Amino acid sequence: MNSIILRTATRFMLPLLILFSIVVLLRGHNQPGGGFVGGLLATSAFVLYAMAFGVPAMKRLLRVPLTTYIAIGLGMALVSGVPGLIESKPFLYGMWASFELAGFGELKVGTPLVFDIGVYFTVLGVCLLMLLTLAEES
């Protein structure tokens, strides 16, 4: 597509969509959202960029092969289950730690968040790989 309106809008929309996908990822543990929905939102942002600037430009924007995103995501999801095994709990048992951040209050970080980030990267990599394969064949 060769539209100046689409290209201009995409330059503004891409960072907002990526930021929104991260917000959905981070709030997903206690509210609707999470890694899967966040990954789909990030995928839609990159597909919009591919529509405006082409698939090669989108691949340059990602800088890392899509299979690397998939591998990182699957690795993070797998690693999130190990702390439970170390503590003689079931695999993928949720374990939490809390930290005090000056000015922000208490921050709770746990293995479910690591799992959600892994799902985010896996969904992003798989969906983009499928869509770009289809786009390159046509």
Side-chain angles (χ1 to χ4, degrees):
M1 220 178 270
N2 192 7
S3 167
I4 188 75
I5 296 172
L6 179 62
R7 288 177 181 229
T8 304
T10 299
R11 285 191 181 105
F12 291 106
M13 292 297 297
L14 181 70
L16 293 175
L17 285 170
I18 297 296
L19 181 65
F20 183 60
S21 75
I22 293 170
V23 169
V24 168
L25 163 70
L26 294 177
R27 70 181 284 261
H29 182 69
N30 296 324
Q31 298 175 350
F36 189 83
V37 177
L40 289 177
L41 284 168
T43 300
S44 67
F46 287 109
V47 167
L48 178 66
Y49 192 85
M51 290 173 58
F53 297 100
V55 172
M58 197 271 305
K59 284 184 175 179
R60 283 192 303 273
L61 180 68
L62 288 172
R63 299 183 184 184
V64 178
L66 294 172
T67 52
T68 303
Y69 286 98
I70 296 169
I72 289 171
L74 290 175
M76 288 182 74
L78 184 66
V79 166
S80 70
V82 173
L85 292 176
I86 291 172
E87 295 290 325
S88 300
K89 304 283 184 184
F91 184 67
L92 293 176
Y93 184 81
M95 301 183 74
W96 294 91
S98 61
F99 304 97
E100 281 295 326
L101 290 177
F104 293 103
E106 184 181 32
L107 174 68
K108 290 184 177 181
V109 179
T111 55
L113 177 62
V114 176
F115 182 80
D116 274 345
I117 293 171
V119 170
Y120 179 91
F121 281 117
T122 304
V123 169
L124 175 67
V126 168
C127 290
L128 279 178
L129 189 62
M130 288 188 304
L131 292 171
L132 293 182
T133 302
L134 290 172
E136 289 174 341
E137 287 181 3
S138 60

